[in-house]
Structures are given as structure tokens and as C-alpha cells.
Amino acid sequence: MQPIVVLVSPQLGENIGMTARAMLNCGLTRLRLVRPRCPWPSLVAKSSSAGADLVLDGATLHDSLADALGDTHRAYAMTARPRNMAKTVMTPRDAMPHIQDHITTGETIALVFGAESCGLTNEDISLCTTILTAPINPDFSSLNLSQAVLLVAYEWLLTSQAAPVPHTPLKKGTLPARKEEIYGFYDHLESELDRTRFLRVPEKRAEMVRNIRNIFERATLSTQEVNTLRGIITSLVTGR
Amino acid sequence: MQPIVVLVSPQLGENIGMTARAMLNCGLTRLRLVRPRCPWPSLVAKSSSAGADLVLDGATLHDSLADALGDTHRAYAMTARPRNMAKTVMTPRDAMPHIQDHITTGETIALVFGAESCGLTNEDISLCTTILTAPINPDFSSLNLSQAVLLVAYEWLLTSQAAPVPHTPLKKGTLPARKEEIYGFYDHLESELDRTRFLRVPEKRAEMVRNIRNIFERATLSTQEVNTLRGIITSLVTGR
């Protein structure tokens, strides 16, 4: 009953180790690594973790962010830079009561962090439900990876003891669809739009796809809604 | 008009560098080092600071904590361990409004952190006004030095400016579509779904329509997004 930390393409074992330490400082133990660019398992990570073996030993490896998020219901992407994307932006502090609430209703939540050098790509962010931005010094806003994890994990820790306020846009008793269902819907829609040449201009395709996904990320679809939307695509395509 | 960070006998240049980075992330620039146990100035610190030269270059060296605190009015000692001392203990979050107040009235405030291996001694703490303790996981409570500084500096940052992060799901300068545009999209979609007989069961039609509309109401569509979705419908229907 706690969020999962997802690191996308981390470069330094040391930062993974310090991330594990910061997580465990705040009571978090679930770590996923997407295509780490350092050897794994990593002795450097271990020695930097100050004994957070529990976190490192349980970390799982993933080929893609979509794979790492597949069984989650909502993903929060941490980024310092404004992205001008059609997606809700919250501070970690403001987001945590919501995250807490979602977890209480049985959702699996991911907290997603990008690589040391350049953070998350716009494509990564298009797979996430919400953007987290800490109101850091705008003239020096690049946080060390493990520091970014600590800021969010610490907010989680402080909020996890407070009483949750129900706040869900879905029908009572309904969880959001798992991300793999959502991504399956995206594949379905985008492959049809490729076929109909709606996405025919190559230099615009990536942005159009991101913009379309952002619409549905904001909507936080349930499984039934995903099925409805897929039914709608099929119905429109086949004319029956 | 900001607190001074004091590191007592830091051992690793890397942690001093990461401390400088975390400080500048949060807008803090005043650093004092008491008997560092690494060479100083430190190239390792510089390379770990990610460009926080302003902090490192201005750091001053002191022979004793008493010397480093001499010109301050209040000192807050960060420690994870309970000390059983007759001294006020506060969380960083709870302390910050007080610290902010004191600074506003012209006081000079120090935030004091101990060495990586063992933290502050009881003697160090006896020189400080108040103890700061973050409510970290009691089974794994040792924070990395620079992480401890970040936790406190970040609380300072949030308290000092309450810097708002924009909170809109739409792109900058974009208003949500007017409702008549939204409803036009609903009409378009539903008339196509009537034609393809997706909505053919009369007693279910009203609820299905409501459910579909709810998806898009949650998404708070912009005008451009409405147009994109209408383009998608047309493209799927016509196959081009």
C-alpha cells in the first residue's frame, strides 16, 4: 500500500543507491528501473545505499516505461521544466493527499523520475497521468536524482499518516484501468489513425500522438471506459 | 535574509558539493564549514555541486562550531536521534514559520548539520537553540548529509515564498473549449454511433451516452482538442 518509484534510464549506480536509501528513509521499498545505463546489479549502488538492500534487492528491470507502468493505475512524472503539455501540474506536497487517497481505494501508483542528464522526455510524460513539479529556485532548478526522489518520498511519508479525504472522479468501487489497458487503447487508436492517414505527416506525428494521449491521461479512464472507447473505434471504422 | 547552513566536520567533498547544490536549488547561498575532514577547497565538491559555485566559493571555514555560530542569533541542530536533552524539538516543517519570523525581525539563523558518520555530538547540540528532527522511518533513519540539508532547505523555500506552481491541465494561454463546442463534439460522435448502431439498444442508450460524455467532461478539452477529436471521428468513419 505505497507508491512505486520508477527510474527511467538512470546513469549512475551511485544515484540508484542513494535513491534506495532516500526511499527507505521514508518507508518506501518498491523500485523499478527502466533500461539503466549502468551495470545492474551494481556494487556502487549497494555501497551508496547505506544498507537499503531491501530496496535494491527487490528492484525490477524493465525494457520500457510502458512496461514498468503496465500494472499501475496512475503515474506521476517528476519534472522541473515546464512542458506546456495539456496535463495537470501539481507540487509533490499538493499531490500527496490525492495519491494517498487513490492508494486507499486500491490503486497502484507510480512516481516516475528521469535520467540525471536530461530528465524525462515528452514521450515519457505523455504516458503519465499527472506532472509533479517542486517550486525550486528557477535559476538553479536541476535536482540531483536521489534528491528529487527524497523530496517526493518525504512528502509521501508525512502525508501517509494524515487522514485521507475521498476524492475520486470514477464511480464508487471502480478503479482506473491499469496502464497496460490504457496503452493498448492508444495502440488501437493510433494504428487505426495511421491506417486512415490521420497521422500521415511524419514530422508532426509524435506531437499529435502525445496531444491525443494527453487528452485521455487527463480523463483517468476506467477499464469499462477503455472498452467503450475501443468499441467506439471499431464501430466507427467498420460502420456497424 | 536567509538562514546559514553550517556543516560540522563533514568528511566527504562530494557531500559538501551535493549540499551546495541542494542549497542553491532552494535559494540558499550561505555555507559555513567547521573543521572539514577533507581537503578544502575541494575539486570533488566542485564537481558534485553541478555548478553551485556561488555557494562553494562563498563558504567560510571555522575552527569550532562556537566560532561558526558566533554572529548568529539562533541555531537549529538537525538530528535523527532523540537526545533526551532539555531542548525544544521541532520538525523542519513546523520550525520554518518560526525561523521565517525570526529572520523577518532581523535575526541571523543557523541550520546545523553533523558529520556523515555520527551526526552532531551532544556538545554540538548544547550550543544550539532548538533541535530539528524529521519524522523519518525509525528503522532506517540515517539521512545522507546532503539529503538532510535538502529536507530543511526545501521547507525553508516553501515557507519563504509559497511560490505557486501553475495548476492547469491545459497548455499555457489556452482556455477550455466553450461548452457549445463540447456539445457539438458530442452530437457529432453520438450521431455517428447511432448510424453505426453502437447505441442501438434503446433502454441502454441514455446511460451509454452519459458514460461517454463523462469521459470527455473529465478531460476538460481545449478547442484544439475538440477539433482533433472531431477530425479523428471523421478519419475513422471515412477511412482517410
Side-chain angles (χ1 to χ4, degrees):
Chain A
M1 296 293 279
Q2 55 166 241
I4 297 165
V5 171
V6 179
L7 304 185
V8 180
S9 304
Q11 294 162 277
L12 300 173
E14 184 164 29
N15 279 330
I16 302 175
M18 290 187 64
T19 291
R21 178 179 182 177
M23 288 172 61
L24 197 53
N25 283 148
C26 300
L28 296 182
T29 57
R30 303 176 70 188
L31 177 62
R32 295 180 179 180
L33 305 174
V34 178
R35 295 187 312 276
R37 281 180 268 179
C38 55
W40 191 262
S42 161
L43 285 177
V44 177
K46 207 168 179 84
S47 71
S48 306
S49 76
D53 296 353
L54 170 65
V55 178
L56 292 177
D57 294 347
T60 54
L61 285 180
H62 301 266
D63 287 335
S64 66
L65 179 58
D67 178 56
L69 298 181
D71 65 347
T72 70
H73 298 92
R74 278 175 220 259
Y76 291 75
M78 180 76 165
T79 172
R81 283 180 287 144
R83 301 299 183 125
N84 196 24
M85 266 196 219
K87 194 157 293 209
T88 302
V89 180
M90 306 181 85
T91 67
R93 185 162 302 178
D94 289 342
M96 276 307 154
H98 300 281
I99 290 175
Q100 174 69 19
D101 199 40
H102 299 318
I103 287 178
T104 303
T105 62
E107 295 185 23
T108 301
I109 303 291
L111 307 170
V112 183
F113 300 83
E116 291 89 337
S117 55
C118 51
L120 295 168
T121 65
N122 283 346
E123 193 187 344
D124 293 334
I125 293 180
S126 76
L127 295 173
C128 297
T129 321
T130 301
I131 289 173
L132 294 181
T133 295
I136 292 298
N137 177 4
D139 298 324
F140 194 79
S141 64
S142 169
L143 287 164
N144 167 272
L145 173 57
S146 67
Q147 303 267 32
V149 173
L150 177 72
L151 278 193
V152 178
Y154 184 67
E155 297 290 355
W156 155 259
L157 176 73
L158 292 196
T159 305
S160 63
Q161 292 134 11
V165 175
H167 177 92
T168 168
L170 293 180
K171 289 184 184 178
K172 210 169 156 177
T174 303
L175 290 182
R178 280 172 291 110
K179 283 294 188 192
E180 61 196 1
E181 300 172 87
I182 304 282
Y183 301 158
F185 159 64
Y186 294 162
D187 284 344
H188 184 176
L189 177 59
E190 289 155 19
S191 67
E192 288 295 349
L193 293 179
D194 279 327
R195 191 181 58 74
T196 63
R197 308 193 63 240
F198 186 80
L199 300 172
R200 68 186 166 278
V201 185
E203 62 273 21
K204 290 191 181 168
R205 187 182 186 285
E207 189 184 351
M208 287 179 75
V209 163
R210 282 200 303 272
N211 289 344
I212 294 167
R213 289 177 180 180
N214 280 339
I215 292 172
F216 294 103
E217 285 295 327
R218 289 207 306 275
T220 316
L221 302 168
S222 70
T223 295
Q224 190 186 334
E225 289 171 339
V226 169
N227 293 336
T228 298
L229 290 170
R230 295 189 69 152
I232 286 175
I233 295 171
T234 300
S235 180
L236 293 176
V237 165
T238 61
R240 56 189 164 77
Chain B
M1 297 293 280
Q2 55 169 241
I4 298 163
V5 171
V6 179
L7 303 185
V8 180
S9 304
Q11 294 163 277
L12 300 173
E14 186 164 28
N15 279 330
I16 302 176
M18 289 186 65
T19 292
R21 178 178 182 177
M23 287 172 61
L24 196 53
N25 283 149
C26 300
L28 296 182
T29 56
R30 302 176 71 186
L31 176 62
R32 294 179 179 181
L33 304 174
V34 177
R35 295 186 313 274
R37 281 181 267 177
C38 56
W40 192 262
S42 161
L43 285 178
V44 177
K46 207 169 178 81
S47 72
S48 306
S49 77
D53 295 354
L54 170 65
V55 178
L56 292 177
D57 294 346
T60 55
L61 286 178
H62 301 265
D63 286 337
S64 66
L65 178 58
D67 177 55
L69 297 181
D71 65 346
T72 70
H73 299 89
R74 282 175 216 257
Y76 291 76
M78 180 76 166
T79 174
R81 285 179 288 146
R83 301 298 184 128
N84 195 24
M85 271 193 219
K87 193 158 296 211
T88 303
V89 179
M90 307 180 86
T91 66
R93 187 162 300 180
D94 290 342
M96 276 306 152
H98 300 281
I99 290 175
Q100 177 70 20
D101 267 358
H102 299 318
I103 287 179
T104 303
T105 62
E107 294 186 21
T108 301
I109 303 291
L111 306 170
V112 183
F113 300 82
E116 291 88 339
S117 55
C118 52
L120 294 167
T121 65
N122 283 346
E123 192 189 345
D124 293 334
I125 293 179
S126 74
L127 295 173
C128 297
T129 321
T130 301
I131 288 173
L132 295 181
T133 296
I136 292 297
N137 176 5
D139 299 323
F140 193 79
S141 64
S142 170
L143 288 164
N144 167 273
L145 173 55
S146 67
Q147 303 267 33
V149 173
L150 177 72
L151 278 194
V152 179
Y154 185 66
E155 297 291 355
W156 157 258
L157 177 74
L158 291 197
T159 304
S160 65
Q161 17 175 272
V165 168
H167 180 95
T168 165
L170 295 180
K171 291 188 183 181
K172 207 166 157 180
T174 303
L175 291 180
R178 280 171 292 111
K179 282 296 185 195
E180 61 192 1
E181 300 172 87
I182 304 282
Y183 301 159
F185 159 64
Y186 295 160
D187 284 344
H188 185 176
L189 176 61
E190 290 154 18
S191 67
E192 288 295 346
L193 294 178
D194 278 328
R195 190 181 57 76
T196 64
R197 306 192 64 241
F198 186 81
L199 300 172
R200 67 186 167 279
V201 185
E203 62 273 26
K204 290 191 181 170
R205 187 183 186 285
E207 188 184 354
M208 288 179 75
V209 164
R210 281 200 306 273
N211 290 343
I212 293 167
R213 291 178 181 182
N214 280 339
I215 292 172
F216 295 101
E217 286 297 325
R218 289 207 305 276
T220 317
L221 301 169
S222 68
T223 295
Q224 189 187 333
E225 288 170 340
V226 169
N227 293 337
T228 297
L229 290 170
R230 295 189 70 153
I232 287 174
I233 295 171
T234 302
S235 180
L236 293 175
V237 166
T238 62
R240 56 188 162 83

